[in-house]
Amino acid sequence: MTNFLSRCPHRCEVKLAKGSFLSIRPEDVRVSREAPRGDAWKGRVKKALYLGSYTYCEIAIDEDLVKANVHHSLPIGLGDEVFVHWEPELCASITVQETDALGTERR
């Protein structure tokens, strides 16, 4: 369950083609209560589900919703203000191709 984003908090100069997104896995997203050094987004926790070794969170950042697996040592709850960041090299660019019901690519 990856994140599909159209922008990056690191101010990357990525030129995304139509139908392309940046992908970052929830386990690679870092969440903190304090602003980290460098670039980060400030957001608010919209969903928090404790799963033992981590808490699955959905964090609203402007029009984006970022999914993150937060280590259990950081107590986090619904409505908390947090900072979200990740290592830029962990992002991947993904292009989505539209297909019809038979799997034929649309142009």
Side-chain angles (χ1 to χ4, degrees):
M1 182 173 21
T2 192
N3 291 288
F4 293 103
L5 305 169
S6 59
R7 59 196 178 111
C8 178
H10 300 287
R11 297 184 187 100
C12 297
E13 296 296 323
V14 178
K15 301 278 191 234
L16 294 171
K18 182 179 179 182
S20 293
F21 301 91
L22 293 175
S23 170
I24 183 77
R25 295 175 59 92
E27 58 269 24
D28 293 332
V29 174
R30 301 291 168 247
V31 177
S32 60
R33 294 197 175 279
E34 302 295 322
R37 293 183 70 169
D39 296 318
W41 283 333
K42 183 165 53 169
R44 189 160 304 278
V45 177
K46 293 296 182 184
K47 183 185 279 186
L49 179 61
Y50 178 72
L51 297 172
S53 61
Y54 67 93
T55 301
Y56 168 79
C57 294
E58 292 182 359
I59 301 163
I61 302 165
D62 299 327
E63 69 277 356
D64 292 310
L65 192 64
V66 174
K67 298 177 279 291
N69 295 342
V70 180
H71 192 269
H72 65 85
S73 64
L74 178 65
I76 195 165
L78 198 59
D80 289 352
E81 185 176 275
V82 295
F83 292 88
V84 173
H85 59 103
W86 56 79
E87 298 301 321
E89 61 271 8
L90 296 176
C91 274
S93 176
I94 294 179
T95 301
V96 178
Q97 293 181 350
E98 289 189 50
T99 59
D100 62 18
L102 298 174
T104 306
E105 185 178 333
R106 289 193 226 170
R107 299 208 182 258

